[in-house]
Amino acid sequence: MPELSPAQRTAGTARILLTAGAAVALEAMWRGSVARTLIASALLAFGGGLLFVAKRAD
């Protein structure tokens, strides 16, 4: 199995965070929870930032 570069590992982590953020955002909107929506927004922002940095590193 080929070894992944640090940028590839970061991109994988970012995709996981984006997926989790999207799932939490959908659930938060369904329930109408402001706090969960803010947490989901933070997950999406952090995941997006990581993905941006990982893509720039390659």
Side-chain angles (χ1 to χ4, degrees):
M1 184 158 119
E3 187 139 344
L4 297 174
S5 71
Q8 290 172 322
R9 289 193 306 266
T10 302
T13 302
R15 287 185 188 103
I16 291 169
L17 286 173
L18 287 171
T19 304
V24 171
L26 287 173
E27 189 268 338
M29 285 189 275
W30 179 261
R31 291 187 180 210
S33 174
V34 174
R36 287 185 184 180
T37 303
L38 291 174
I39 291 171
S41 299
L43 279 173
L44 288 170
F46 188 65
L50 274 179
L51 191 57
F52 178 76
V53 168
K55 293 295 180 179
R56 298 266 330 231
D58 275 340

